[in-house]
Each structure stands twice: as C-alpha cells, then as structure tokens.
Amino acid sequence: MQFEIESRYSEREVMRIMEENTYVPRSIFHLGTDGKYFIGKLEESSFKVRRKIHYRNSFLPEIVGQLERLGSGTKINITLRLPLFAKISAVIPISVLLFATVMEFLAEKDIASAFVPLGVLILLAAIAAIFFKIEANIAKKKLTALFVPDYKPIS
C-alpha cells in the first residue's frame, strides 16, 4: 500500500516530529521505549518504522517513508508493506495448499474436492489482507495527524 502526505512542514521539521515519536533501539532488547508511538530507524530524509504495540501482530505493516521537498513544505512518500518474516512464513502454507489443489485436480476422482484447499487458500489470503488493511489504516491516520496540523479523521 502506498500513499503520500503533503505537509507544510520542512523536511527538518518532519524528521524532528518523527524523532519525537519514534524509539530508535540501541540493542536487540527494547526495555523502556519512552512512550513513543513508533519503533524503528531514522535517517536524514527517510525512515523505516512500525507502530510500537504491546502484543504480537504478524500483519503490522513496516512503514517506509521518503521525504521530498515540495515548495515551502514536504511531500512524504509512504509505503506500507508486510514484514519479511510474515512473507516468508506465508510461503509454506500457500505452497502446501497450492500443491493439494493441483493434486486434487490431477486425481480427477472428485473435481469438487479440489476446491476445498483452493477455498482455504482464498480465505487465508482474505484474512491476511483484512488484518493488514486495518493496521495500515491505523498507521496512515496517525502519520497524517502528525504531519497535517488541521487533519481531523472522520472515524
């Protein structure tokens, strides 16, 4: 998922806002994150963060932002993507379900039974897409609220 935010803030101000809201881990242990909303890495004109939550969620998007000067303000190009671990761990069940579907079609005993693993595959993909979209919308609203001062979310 990609979107952009046009902010009246300068690149320096945008990165200052991200700095105020992002815990940058110094080690693999994240003891005390100072009440920050995000956790991740900040660079001069880009960031790679995720929301800081206190529960496990494989569908929590990785948020990658690139800043671009825009007249007196800044355009923030944001990409939300599924974390690498979630992508890798999805390969195994997808492969098994696709293999089962193909084997059922090739067996030609009961063609209807081939649709069971295919249906499960479609269901799992839909569940993943829904949970990712929910988390992506939460991140989008928070980022927009940070960089567009007059932003008022509808819901």
Side-chain angles (χ1 to χ4, degrees):
M1 174 182 188
Q2 293 183 321
F3 65 97
E4 54 186 51
I5 298 172
E6 291 186 6
S7 177
R8 67 180 186 212
Y9 296 130
S10 68
E11 287 182 53
R12 181 176 285 159
E13 290 172 309
V14 167
M15 289 311 294
R16 180 190 52 78
I17 291 168
M18 280 305 294
E19 204 172 294
E20 289 172 357
N21 288 280
T22 304
Y23 172 75
V24 180
R26 306 282 183 239
S27 70
I28 58 171
F29 302 106
H30 311 298
L31 306 172
T33 54
D34 305 328
K36 309 280 182 153
Y37 194 81
F38 298 107
I39 186 168
K41 186 171 80 173
L42 304 174
E43 294 180 9
E44 189 175 323
S45 62
S46 66
F47 53 87
K48 185 176 179 181
V49 298
R50 61 182 162 79
R51 279 192 324 118
K52 186 182 69 63
I53 57 175
H54 300 289
Y55 52 92
R56 180 73 190 136
N57 186 340
S58 299
F59 303 106
L60 193 64
E62 189 175 74
I63 305 163
V64 180
Q66 294 285 335
L67 308 186
E68 192 178 308
R69 180 166 287 148
L70 183 70
S72 63
T74 304
K75 180 165 75 168
I76 307 149
N77 297 304
I78 298 175
T79 302
L80 302 173
R81 58 183 177 218
L82 206 54
L84 181 61
F85 178 75
K87 291 176 188 174
I88 291 171
S89 61
V91 168
I92 295 168
I94 289 171
S95 300
V96 169
L97 289 169
L98 285 175
F99 179 75
T101 301
V102 169
M103 294 311 292
E104 286 293 326
F105 273 119
L106 293 176
E108 296 182 15
K109 292 179 183 170
D110 181 16
I111 198 76
S113 65
F115 290 103
V116 172
L118 187 61
V120 171
L121 180 64
I122 292 168
L123 179 66
L124 289 176
I127 290 170
I130 289 167
F131 284 113
F132 177 81
K133 183 78 171 165
I134 289 168
E135 289 294 341
N137 285 336
I138 292 170
K140 183 177 180 177
K141 284 180 184 177
K142 178 62 176 181
L143 288 166
T144 305
L146 286 174
F147 301 127
V148 181
D150 302 330
Y151 175 72
K152 303 272 188 283
I154 294 171
S155 60

